[in-house]
Amino acid sequence: MSAIRDGGTIDLEDGTTVRLAGIQTPEPARGDRPAWPLATEAATAVGHALLGNDVTLWHPEDREDRWGRSLAHVVRDDGLWMQGTLLMTGLARVYTQPRTATGARLMLDLERTARAARSGIWRERFYRVRNPAETWGDLDSVQVVEGRVVDAAVVRGTAYLNFGPDWRRDFTFRARPDVRQVFARAGIDLADLTGRRVRGRGWVFPLNGPMIDLTHPEGLEVLEE
């Protein structure tokens, strides 16, 4: 491995740029946007672990992102798994997509342990798990949101997990009909989650109230059976 671009992006000696699949690491400064907390620490940790070492790439179903970077889990020649190391030390959080969710359950377990120990990013308010009522302040960002579902409804095949009495203002998780069927095949009936506590993650956008689109089962944890 030849260079570190940031905590989630590396360059190989053959010129390949690799994005670490399945996680989101603190972002460095870009343009007029300041660096996220612990961005330098994440990049330093990756550099210490990988620079000068041989690595093996394990690709998810999608082998490239939209910018043409190789998507992969990165394993050092002695077996160190870079994604796992960053999650365990609190220098990354899980962020998967439908075709890049390889290893998601294990990664979520590692993230959960780091969060309970308040390691790394989990000491910073910037990364805290949001409650649904505060997500108006998080539009146009990736967030982890946890709360109790007030009402789970299916409207014309689309599932809505509402976290307040006013769906025009309150936070909602949405799963379109094809995605709802994927959840069903994974054993999760989204319409049966009223009153249950859940934790989900994704891009927060405004549609009536703040909303996150659920795109795959690994993006939602049901915390109470």
Side-chain angles (χ1 to χ4, degrees), residues 147-161:
R148 192 173 302 280
V149 179
V150 171
D151 179 54
V154 176
V155 180
R156 292 189 290 276
T158 296
Y160 297 90
L161 305 183

Side-chain angles (χ1 to χ4, degrees), residues 5 9-12 14-19 65 68-71:
R5 296 198 178 196
T9 314
I10 63 175
D11 288 335
L12 304 184
D14 66 1
T16 302
T17 297
V18 178
R19 185 70 177 174
D65 67 11
R69 299 175 300 191
S70 180
L71 283 170

Side-chain angles (χ1 to χ4, degrees), residues 117-134:
R118 295 180 58 81
S119 299
I121 65 173
W122 304 112
R123 294 193 301 269
E124 303 282 342
R125 284 186 57 80
F126 183 90
Y127 300 101
R128 73 190 183 283
V129 176
R130 268 46 174 185
N131 69 67
E134 66 180 326

Side-chain angles (χ1 to χ4, degrees), residues 209-225:
M211 180 176 286
I212 286 177
D213 264 332
L214 299 174
T215 58
H216 59 303
E218 292 82 359
L220 184 74
E221 299 168 82
V222 179
L223 305 178
E224 295 177 351
E225 296 300 327

Side-chain angles (χ1 to χ4, degrees), residues 23-191:
I23 62 172
Q24 183 187 53
T25 54
E27 294 280 351
R30 289 191 173 91
D32 59 358
R33 190 189 72 184
W36 295 3
L38 299 184
T40 298
E41 289 82 350
T44 298
V46 174
H48 285 164
L50 297 184
L51 280 174
N53 287 280
D54 292 330
V55 298
T56 300
L57 304 182
W58 296 90
H59 297 281
E61 189 173 356
D62 278 347
R63 297 175 65 94
E64 289 188 349
D65 67 11
R66 58 180 173 172
W67 293 282
R69 299 175 300 191
S70 180
L71 283 170
H73 289 266
V74 176
V75 180
R76 200 168 66 187
D77 53 359
D78 64 356
L80 180 139
W81 175 33
M82 197 68 249
Q83 276 91 331
T85 298
L86 289 169
L87 289 165
M88 285 188 293
T89 54
L91 290 174
R93 58 185 174 182
V94 178
Y95 185 44
T96 58
Q97 300 295 334
R99 294 159 60 91
T100 66
T102 303
R105 293 304 174 191
L106 174 56
M107 292 194 294
L108 287 166
D109 286 343
L110 296 175
E111 179 196 278
R112 193 177 303 114
T113 300
R115 188 168 57 247
R118 295 180 58 81
S119 299
I121 65 173
W122 304 112
R123 294 193 301 269
E124 303 282 342
R125 284 186 57 80
F126 183 90
Y127 300 101
R128 73 190 183 283
V129 176
R130 268 46 174 185
N131 69 67
E134 66 180 326
T135 50
W136 273 114
D138 296 312
L139 298 178
D140 299 324
S141 67
V142 172
Q143 298 297 338
V144 182
V145 182
E146 179 180 323
R148 192 173 302 280
V149 179
V150 171
D151 179 54
V154 176
V155 180
R156 292 189 290 276
T158 296
Y160 297 90
L161 305 183
N162 299 305
F163 290 82
D166 184 359
W167 58 267
R168 296 173 181 83
R169 292 286 304 170
D170 295 321
F171 176 79
T172 300
F173 285 125
R174 178 178 69 176
R176 297 180 185 276
D178 56 337
V179 175
R180 185 168 65 89
Q181 296 307 313
V182 175
F183 271 85
R185 289 195 292 273
I188 302 171
D189 182 357
L190 294 174

